[in-house]
Amino acid sequence: LEGMRGQVESIKRERVSMRFLPRLVSFDPATQTVLVTGQHRTEGPGAPPVSTERPYELRVAFTHYRPLITHLDAYSGGPKQPKPEEPQK
């Protein structure tokens, strides 16, 4: 949590703007994972804008009617491909 606070302070201090434009949302029932893919754009006064393809993977559970994010992963590039299943014998 402290690492995230440091990143937030750095973003504020450097006046960096970030946004995410979702392009595709899918659900993998085998892993109960939602995959949101889209364009991540970063802009700031000292550098040109940078756009990258970024997928977010997340899992949500509900406790007492409240959503709880139990897994969140973000990475650059395209979505991770699931490993091919072994053929059934």
Side-chain angles (χ1 to χ4, degrees):
L1 194 56
E2 281 302 314
M4 190 178 288
R5 282 191 186 124
Q7 288 178 355
V8 169
E9 289 305 315
S10 177
I11 289 168
K12 287 180 182 178
R13 183 177 53 253
E14 296 174 16
R15 297 182 303 164
V16 173
S17 169
M18 289 188 243
R19 67 180 158 187
F20 179 72
L21 302 169
R23 185 177 43 80
L24 177 67
V25 177
S26 60
F27 179 73
D28 180 4
T31 62
Q32 296 291 298
T33 301
V34 177
L35 178 66
V36 182
T37 305
Q39 283 296 115
H40 179 260
R41 185 174 175 99
T42 305
E43 299 179 55
V50 176
S51 290
T52 57
E53 180 83 2
R54 176 164 289 182
Y56 288 88
E57 294 179 1
L58 59 123
R59 291 186 204 108
V60 180
F62 290 88
T63 305
H64 304 290
Y65 302 101
R66 294 182 182 168
L68 174 67
I69 296 175
T70 60
H71 170 82
L72 177 62
D73 191 12
Y75 43 88
S76 296
K80 293 178 184 173
Q81 297 297 319
K83 295 178 182 174
E85 294 182 15
E86 292 288 323
Q88 303 251 340
K89 295 181 181 180

